[in-house]
Amino acid sequence: MSDGNQPPSSLKVVGTRPIRPDGVDKVTGRAQFGADFHLPGMLTGRIKRSPHAHARIVKIDTSAAEKLPGVKAVVTGADLDVGAGGDIEAGEHAAAMKDVAANCLASGKVFYQGHAVAAVAATSPEIAADALDLIEVIYEVLPHVVDVDEAMAPGAPVLHDDMFTKGVTPKPAKASNVAQKHVMGRGDVAGAFAAAAVVVEGRYTTAAVHQGYIEPHACVAAWGADGQSTIWCSSQGQFLVRAMTARILNMPLSDIKVIPAEIGGGFGGKTTVYLEPVALALSRKCGRPVKLVMSREEVFLASGPTSGSSMDVRLAATKDGKITAAEMTLRYQAGAFAGSPVNLGCMTAFACYDVEHLALVGYDVVSNRPKVAAYRAPGAPMAAFAVESAIDDLARKLKMDPIDLRILNAVKDGAKTVYGATVRYSAFIETLQAVKAHPHYQSKLKAGQARGVAAGFWFNIGGESSAAVHVDEDGGATVVSSNPDIGGSRASMAMMAAETLGLPIERVRCTVADTTSIGFSGSTGGSRVTFATGMAVVEAAQKVVADLKRRAAQTWECDLAHVEWKDGVATCLDPSKDAKPLSLKALAGKSAKTGGPIAAEVSLNAQGAAAGYGVHVCDLEIDPETGRTTILRYTAAQDVGRAIHPAYVEGQLQGGAAQGVGWALNEEYVYNAKGLLDNASFLDYRMPVASDLPMIDTILVEAKPNPRHPYGAKGVGEVPIVPPLAAVANAISAVVGQRMTSLPLSPAKVLAAGKAP
Amino acid sequence: MARVVSISSKFRDLTGGLDGLDVDARSVRELLRLLEARFPGLGEMVEAEMSLAIDGEIHQDALMEPLGPASEVVLIPRISGG
């Protein structure tokens, strides 16, 4: 439960906990997800995928498949036309469209098992499956590499002949698997280490893990006879799907309408396209609607996990615990194409701490795995695992309380981050203090149990958003949002509109519009929607209020300055007028007579997002016979600015913690000697389920609302996955009596440490 | 004069090894134009690939943002999320 500060008493809706508007549809099975759409004459699409980790495509012969009765279309990479390519802003960074296209359907080479090489559309699933078998692909199998360190080693198989490491001067003469080297830092690191009283260091590794959303990727695409096409799909951004599909098929944006479906989880993994361009290419070829739905195996094989990593970290400190310098090398798997979040790992690694001398080097490394996709706080959890483990080592070496050590080194407003921003509106120290004062941290542990603490940071962003507010004739209102609702944004948008208009929340509904029905918006990601789209909603509602006041003034024939709007009612403050107050309902009912419909739409580019900080505490014990870890108690605290809907914010913290615990304990992509994935199912890829976890307690710290947002919101969705990896690992390290440096900390690995009690 | 600094190795590549430079610009738009004129490719790269921390606050696609006479502009990789 939340024990954060209460919102100001002047707020009537923001800070309350109304029932989620999408809840009934979801629990009754009526919500329409990506795979739920059916159109007359719709065909079943299927994708043929590579059985090899790395191979050259010598030949693809689709002629037999095309002749099979019931097969209406077959496409390969040759049917995509990405032209000059270019970049489109996506989940982690700008996505290179040539790579996105080659990931949708391979061109020339396949880079991982499951890489798509061809697709069919047929009148039944059975015929589609038979057609895949009739597509003949001749491969020249090539040596493969899946491990990030092995991919960087001399003599490793090189995936891309034209990949010359960027960020290195002069340009390397030989191609390699290192797509880019990132260097950042400040100060005199060598001098600070030479003068240090205490140094701790370690090498850490994390496994590639999948976002694990319940709903597989799915879409229906229909090519129109007039060239106007429609796509129904589940994604984190209908405008992103439109932009990427249009680029890959060389179409104008206005020829594609994307209708967002309900989304069954994304966590960053649905900020790109895999199926939509392929389905539309099939539909274009045969003129009928085509549905493509990934199986769970395809989701694991061919959609983006996040990077596995290897990292080296060193900290220098005074004998009192002040960290004076840090250096770190981060090596992140990008998968088949360039673009891991290693630069974000470098930028976030020490963002919680005020360290004068810093040196970070990051390597973006390709290997024969699926191309990584964004996953909550991309790049930050791995870096935090290494840094927060090292800080735990430092606390133990200095015999300091781990929270006191973090408070001593915590960033304060005015501090300069390594990436250039100045810390503002931060409540990291308040978050640490809230954890220290919490009953969980004050409680005693039993023999054999241990407690881990770790912190985490995420930037949070703003960006382009659009929203509209329509006043209904009966005095209610509808909010039109431009962002798919992943984490409860329909509730928070409706609440902010209700607060601004002065309506009860029950009179405001929120819907998510298609690409033709609202202005452009960036994707739902980066913890930006409550901040940026919320800002658009509030500004639109403010415009509506201004219009309502104008109509009231017109009705009373008084000066606009004499109209007050409060709690959904206009009051005339002109003492010379005998004017009865006019409610929103009364004004809406007369709208035709006072200027027509009452509505406003706002498009903006929101600046001023404030970063978030989290601190997690984990108590656990280990079964000495099996090595199985049991999480006994877990508390997640976070600097949230102001919680618009506290229950949803608590849910974000709990969900992030649960995913992070899975990352720490069990989840990993397991490859065999042939570079093939051995655990492409939920049976063998072990994510935490409800029975694996205790109730996760939360502390919402509302000490510093963001003054750049009308109601003080900060992004909250990404921070909570950053601390759990180290919080769990620090506790396990305490139980087994040695630093555990390689995730996941599976029972076998814990037993192998040899010191389980 | 706005002081422009960068943590990006691309910045150093395009400026011949500089970590920072002074530019007499009153807006981000003017800054990008002057960077491009001084180091061909730099203004375009910054507009396409970078965010700007102006006096400590991160801005993305903020061409109209004003710069003060002593503004610090840090060029950083664009930040998105999951």
Side-chain angles (χ1 to χ4, degrees), chain A residues 25-286:
Chain A
D25 272 357
K26 284 181 175 166
V27 299
T28 56
R30 286 184 299 194
Q32 295 284 302
F33 292 91
D36 291 327
F37 288 92
H38 296 273
L39 291 174
M42 191 175 76
L43 302 173
T44 299
R46 288 285 302 270
I47 291 184
K48 188 173 182 72
R49 299 184 180 277
S50 167
H52 305 295
H54 193 195
R56 197 177 313 283
I57 299 171
V58 178
K59 180 186 171 189
I60 303 179
D61 184 351
T62 62
S63 56
E66 287 165 3
K67 288 174 188 158
L68 184 69
V71 171
K72 302 298 180 185
V74 182
V75 296
T76 66
D79 291 281
L80 308 183
D81 176 15
V82 75
D87 294 348
I88 288 179
E89 204 66 29
E92 293 175 336
H93 42 69
M97 290 311 300
K98 282 192 172 177
D99 291 346
V100 176
N103 202 34
C104 287
L105 282 173
S107 176
K109 281 175 85 175
V110 290
F111 293 105
Y112 55 93
Q113 178 202 14
H115 196 164
V117 293
V120 303
T123 51
S124 75
E126 294 77 16
I127 294 172
D130 289 345
L132 290 189
D133 292 338
L134 293 173
I135 296 174
E136 183 188 14
V137 185
I138 298 175
Y139 295 101
E140 174 196 350
V141 178
L142 301 169
H144 68 274
V145 60
V146 295
D147 179 79
V148 64
D149 293 313
E150 290 175 9
M152 293 178 72
V158 173
L159 274 68
H160 304 277
D161 295 339
D162 57 352
M163 182 172 284
F164 298 90
T165 308
K166 294 179 182 173
V168 175
T169 306
K171 180 183 172 182
K174 283 178 61 180
S176 81
N177 293 323
V178 181
Q180 189 159 356
K181 179 182 179 183
H182 300 267
V183 180
M184 59 186 77
R186 65 185 177 206
D188 176 14
V189 173
F193 269 95
V198 186
V199 172
V200 294
E201 59 189 314
R203 183 180 182 88
Y204 295 87
T205 62
T206 66
V209 298
H210 199 273
Q211 297 83 347
Y213 29 81
I214 294 172
E215 182 199 17
H217 297 267
C219 72
V220 174
W223 181 271
D226 60 353
Q228 292 281 315
S229 300
T230 306
I231 297 171
W232 294 260
C233 67
S234 161
S235 80
Q236 288 179 236
Q238 64 273 45
F239 292 93
L240 178 79
V241 170
R242 182 181 70 165
M244 287 188 163
T245 303
R247 187 74 64 85
I248 289 171
L249 297 180
N250 195 14
M251 295 170 63
L253 290 173
S254 56
D255 280 358
I256 301 177
K257 173 180 178 178
V258 179
I259 301 176
E262 197 68 66
I263 177 169
F267 311 111
K270 291 176 182 171
T271 54
T272 187
V273 293
Y274 301 101
L275 301 178
E276 292 82 356
V278 180
L280 193 54
L282 287 165
S283 180
R284 179 170 62 180
K285 222 164 191 179
C286 63

Side-chain angles (χ1 to χ4, degrees), chain A residues 595-683:
Chain A
I598 303 167
E601 181 170 334
V602 167
S603 293
L604 50 73
N605 187 354
Q607 311 293 341
Y613 301 83
V615 181
H616 290 200
V617 187
C618 173
D619 294 355
L620 55 78
E621 62 187 7
I622 296 169
D623 185 315
E625 289 186 16
T626 65
R628 182 184 191 275
T629 295
T630 299
I631 306 290
L632 301 167
R633 188 170 183 181
Y634 199 103
T635 300
Q638 192 165 313
D639 163 19
V640 300
R642 179 170 293 131
I644 305 299
H645 191 306
Y648 266 119
V649 176
E650 289 159 7
Q652 290 283 355
L653 269 59
Q654 290 161 331
Q659 288 181 307
V661 168
W663 200 334
L665 289 179
N666 296 105
E667 295 179 40
E668 64 178 320
Y669 270 43
V670 178
Y671 284 94
N672 63 28
K674 292 181 177 176
L676 308 181
L677 188 61
D678 273 346
N679 62 334
S681 76
F682 275 143
L683 187 64

Side-chain angles (χ1 to χ4, degrees), chain A residues 89-91 167 169 181 183 236 268 343 374 378 416 418-422 424 458-459 461 525-526 605 607-608 708 718, chain B residues 7-10 12-13 48-49 53-62 65 72 74-82:
Chain A
E89 204 66 29
T169 306
K181 179 182 179 183
V183 180
Q236 288 179 236
N343 59 329
K416 198 72 156 175
V418 70
Y419 56 89
T422 303
R424 291 179 176 187
W458 187 251
F459 313 91
I461 60 168
N605 187 354
Q607 311 293 341
R708 300 294 302 276
E718 312 206 54
Chain B
I7 60 169
S8 161
S9 47
K10 279 189 182 176
R12 285 192 290 276
D13 290 347
E49 299 180 24
I54 303 170
D55 297 325
E57 183 171 291
I58 296 176
H59 293 261
Q60 307 210 130
D61 303 310
E65 201 65 29
E72 181 195 59
V74 186
L75 310 178
I76 60 180
R78 291 180 76 88
I79 299 163
S80 189

